[in-house]
Amino acid sequence: MRFDIISCQPDLLDSPFSHSIVKRAQQKGLVDIHIHDLRKYAINKHGQIDDYAFGGGAGMVMMIEPIDKLLTELKAERDYDAVIYMTPDGQTLNQQVVNQFSLMRNVIILCGHYKGVDERVRQHYVTHEISIGDYVLSGGELGAAVLADAIIRIIPGVLNDESSALTDSFQDGLLAPPVYTRPADYKGMKVPDILLSGDNPKIEQWRFEQAIERTKQRRPDLLDE
């Protein structure tokens, strides 16, 4: 899968894609990530990519021209399944949305900044608008990193144990059950006996019941859905 991420602050994305699972996915050749500096497509020698909003008001707006130049260049090289705009008023990201994106091959992620992009970009270029939560960040770069990480980890072959991703919270509409590791007894705090029994069917049933109980307590809205 290929990600082309458009940003006016590309240095913010260096670290998230240079470590851990995402780094290994790139080394395996399963994921190709390209970060594009929008200022290289600025309208003048001063690197201008934003301007005042028509009608007045506080804040600057990302201009359509630099974005159009870069998108045109990218689309001349390959077909894209999605152009995703990271914006607080987009569709809230959840596991089902991530699963859908993971089936795609070529994706562009546009990171918003300032007061957002010229509305014509959203109307004529963007195919999906995604928010990672009901709050506002300084730019879309962190949201883009979150989205890409969530997608990459469920691409087949990325995780050493692919079944791990299938048992994550939200994959089956429930939160994940509690997990334990050694020692079985630490300062009197003991692991539930069922997990030490070796009875796999009973263990799976216990985990399912715990997942339901945890979801009832922490995210009852998921059960309603």
Side-chain angles (χ1 to χ4, degrees):
M1 187 171 182
R2 178 183 171 110
F3 292 86
D4 286 280
I5 303 179
I6 300 173
S7 167
C8 56
Q9 299 286 339
D11 291 346
L12 289 175
L13 294 166
D14 288 342
S15 181
F17 299 134
S18 301
H19 301 277
S20 190
I21 291 170
V22 176
K23 178 182 178 181
R24 293 197 296 272
Q26 295 176 82
Q27 292 173 336
K28 290 180 180 179
L30 298 172
V31 176
D32 202 8
I33 301 174
H34 298 265
I35 312 298
H36 303 274
D37 185 352
L38 186 60
R39 292 192 184 279
K40 293 182 178 179
Y41 298 83
I43 64 168
N44 55 37
K45 63 181 180 180
H46 303 294
Q48 184 181 356
I49 59 169
D50 61 297
D51 208 342
Y52 295 103
F54 280 123
M60 305 293 282
V61 179
M62 294 174 68
M63 304 170 72
I64 187 173
E65 186 175 346
I67 296 171
D68 173 61
K69 287 180 181 178
L70 179 47
L71 289 177
T72 299
E73 182 176 295
L74 291 174
K75 290 181 177 182
E77 298 174 354
R78 65 191 55 80
D79 293 328
Y80 285 90
D81 302 300
V83 177
I84 304 167
Y85 174 47
M86 305 303 302
T87 173
D89 60 352
Q91 178 184 5
T92 302
L93 184 64
N94 60 34
Q95 192 61 48
Q96 287 66 46
V97 173
V98 169
N99 292 346
Q100 293 170 6
F101 283 137
S102 73
L103 301 176
M104 298 180 180
R105 186 164 182 83
N106 298 311
V107 170
I108 294 173
I109 303 178
L110 172 62
C111 302
H113 215 68
Y114 311 112
K115 294 295 286 184
V117 300
D118 187 305
E119 184 66 20
R120 290 168 292 185
V121 173
R122 302 175 73 166
Q123 292 175 342
H124 299 285
Y125 299 88
V126 170
T127 63
H128 300 75
E129 299 187 346
I130 295 295
S131 166
I132 63 168
D134 295 338
Y135 46 86
V136 178
L137 299 172
S138 298
E141 285 77 14
L142 296 180
V146 168
L147 174 60
D149 186 287
I151 295 171
I152 290 168
R153 68 185 312 277
I154 61 173
I155 294 174
V158 169
L159 297 180
N160 292 330
D161 182 359
E162 292 183 14
S163 64
S164 176
L166 299 178
T167 57
D168 286 340
S169 290
F170 307 112
Q171 280 289 9
D172 57 0
L174 300 172
L175 300 182
V179 292
Y180 301 84
T181 189
R182 294 180 288 182
D185 186 339
Y186 182 70
K187 296 182 178 181
M189 297 178 284
K190 297 182 179 181
V191 172
D193 291 337
I194 184 65
L195 297 177
L196 309 175
S197 69
D199 189 331
N200 289 332
K202 288 185 177 180
I203 289 173
E204 289 306 310
Q205 179 63 28
W206 178 87
R207 285 175 171 161
F208 177 65
E209 292 170 355
Q210 290 293 312
I212 291 177
E213 185 61 30
R214 177 162 285 190
T215 306
K216 282 182 181 178
Q217 293 176 355
R218 302 185 181 190
R219 289 292 305 276
D221 56 297
L222 294 176
L223 295 176
D224 294 337
E225 293 172 5

